[in-house]
Amino acid sequence: MKTTCNRLTRRAILALAAGIAIVPLGASAADAQLLNVSYDVARELYKEINPAFIAEWKKSTGETITINQSHGGSSKQARSVADGLEASVVTMNQANDIDMLAERGVVAADWARKFPHNAAPFYSTMIFLVRKGNPKQIKTWDDLAKPGIKVVIPNPKTAGNGRYTYLAAWGSVIKKGGTEAQARELVAGIFKNVPVLDGGGRAATTTFTQRDIGDALVTFESEVQMVRTEFGDNFEVVYPAVSILAESPVAVVDKVVDKRGVRKQATAYLNFLYSEAGQTIGAKHFLRPRSEAVAKKFAANYKPIALFTVDEVFGGWKQAQKKHFDDGGEFDKIYQAK
């Protein structure tokens, strides 16, 4: 729809930049509207979650609800919300981004205690997608650092996908008894082999699958099925022996939901993610569910893999962020030396 320049608010400008539609209040028959600001590769997940929740909410309350989606690199999305994009909820792929919003007073300081499992209804891990036949015989994190290998990874400064990849590679060294210096050497070798740093996980997938760049793509396990569905059997999945537990945390944006009077709808929306229906949809999209019953039902989707947490190896997200990803941190030093 058309909106004249003099009617564009800061919210509208931010939302348009994030790629979502703006519907003026009163322009819809919906009784309530929510905006879910989410990470890059969660598009398909919420395209299925949203209508399922809308139908359940209508059945249980009689209220019609509209849910809009906005997707991009997780950290970039979080910054948009911090800058004024009026998200009702944020559904990210790392706690670090929601912690930043808590520090800005955008979400509750105790957001991780508002929902079960540290407010993370799903989790995943980082695996390798390689060309059919795995011609470069890529099997381990060490292989990604070998000369002549090209690795596609999104920018850890803007994408949770890239940040988890960096930490997974670093942690793989520590978990087998290596030193910090050895971990830094491995990560430096891997990023030396990165031909381009895309801004988000889906852009990196496009670079690998459609632009035909790279020998391996490091991505979320949950992204693999989308690739197979869209591009067939041109790729193979490689599970390293050890990887990182990648949680998908969620939070209600307090000021926005209270301002718009949609707190109960936003809270119910996030609670739906923990329901059997929500967990089942997540499992269909190859996210690992918290429900033991749903996990058992979809056990064939998940290969056993040794997982470590950010807390276990890095002392938590705040310490990892400060040491590795803040301006002038380890990643900047590594990439500038490339």
Side-chain angles (χ1 to χ4, degrees):
M1 61 172 291
K2 295 182 179 179
T3 308
T4 57
C5 291
N6 62 354
R7 291 174 60 197
L8 278 174
T9 62
R10 179 174 177 77
R11 170 181 169 269
I13 294 170
L14 285 164
L16 288 170
I20 64 170
I22 296 298
V23 181
L25 295 178
S28 169
D31 297 322
Q33 295 185 38
L34 302 178
L35 171 59
N36 176 7
V37 175
S38 191
Y39 61 102
D40 201 24
V41 300
R43 290 174 177 84
E44 290 77 17
L45 170 68
Y46 286 103
K47 282 181 181 178
E48 190 170 348
I49 287 282
N50 291 348
F53 172 73
I54 288 168
E56 181 178 283
W57 187 253
K58 178 72 171 179
K59 182 179 179 180
S60 63
T61 69
E63 182 182 48
T64 301
I65 190 169
T66 295
I67 304 172
N68 292 316
Q69 299 176 218
S70 171
H71 297 275
S74 183
S75 297
K76 184 178 180 180
Q77 291 288 82
R79 284 194 294 271
S80 293
V81 174
D83 290 341
L85 178 59
E86 292 193 347
S88 312
V89 300
V90 287
T91 57
M92 299 301 187
N93 61 20
Q94 57 176 309
N96 196 39
D97 288 328
I98 304 184
D99 282 337
M100 181 273 288
L101 294 175
E103 291 170 0
R104 302 281 187 93
V106 177
V107 304
D110 62 346
W111 65 269
R113 295 195 293 273
K114 298 289 188 181
F115 298 92
H117 300 287
N118 294 318
F122 309 108
Y123 66 101
S124 188
T125 190
M126 308 310 296
I127 52 81
F128 313 152
L129 200 64
V130 299
R131 306 291 174 189
K132 186 72 173 179
N134 195 6
K136 296 295 181 72
Q137 292 299 296
I138 297 168
K139 298 178 181 179
T140 68
W141 291 102
D142 290 346
D143 290 338
L144 299 180
K146 289 180 178 178
I149 301 294
K150 291 184 179 180
V151 190
V152 178
I153 302 170
N155 191 344
K157 302 281 279 190
T158 60
N161 185 318
R163 200 163 295 161
Y164 273 122
T165 296
Y166 174 108
L167 296 177
W170 189 289
S172 72
V173 176
I174 303 302
K175 290 297 292 182
K176 64 182 180 183
T179 65
E180 292 281 305
Q182 289 171 327
R184 190 180 194 280
E185 181 180 7
L186 174 63
V187 172
I190 291 173
F191 278 90
K192 186 177 181 180
N193 288 343
V194 175
V196 58
L197 280 179
D198 289 301
R202 186 53 56 82
T205 298
T206 298
T207 293
F208 183 72
T209 58
Q210 297 186 40
R211 296 175 62 194
D212 203 30
I213 293 174
D215 302 300
L217 167 72
V218 187
T219 190
F220 289 115
E221 177 186 43
S222 53
E223 180 78 343
V224 170
Q225 186 59 27
M226 185 283 297
V227 173
R228 283 175 168 165
T229 299
E230 189 164 343
F231 300 102
D233 294 326
N234 296 321
F235 310 97
E236 294 182 8
V237 181
V238 174
Y239 278 79
V242 63
S243 194
I244 197 165
L245 188 148
E247 294 184 309
S248 301
V250 301
V252 171
V253 182
D254 296 290
K255 290 183 179 179
V256 173
V257 298
D258 289 339
K259 173 184 174 183
R260 298 183 174 276
V262 292
R263 177 176 286 277
K264 68 176 182 179
Q265 293 90 338
T267 302
Y269 177 59
L270 296 186
N271 276 324
F272 178 78
L273 302 177
Y274 291 91
S275 69
E276 183 176 358
Q279 291 280 285
T280 298
I281 293 171
K284 287 180 179 178
H285 288 265
F286 284 72
L287 286 164
R288 297 189 178 215
R290 298 297 189 175
S291 165
E292 292 183 7
V294 175
K296 184 176 181 180
K297 182 178 178 180
F298 288 88
N301 286 1
Y302 313 109
K303 182 176 179 178
I305 182 173
L307 300 178
F308 62 84
T309 66
V310 174
D311 286 351
E312 180 184 348
V313 175
F314 301 96
W317 270 109
K318 288 185 179 180
Q319 291 189 44
Q321 174 67 34
K322 182 177 181 180
K323 178 177 179 177
H324 294 278
F325 307 116
D326 276 356
D327 290 346
E330 289 285 353
F331 173 72
D332 281 350
K333 293 174 183 176
I334 285 170
Y335 201 69
Q336 288 165 8
K338 176 183 172 182

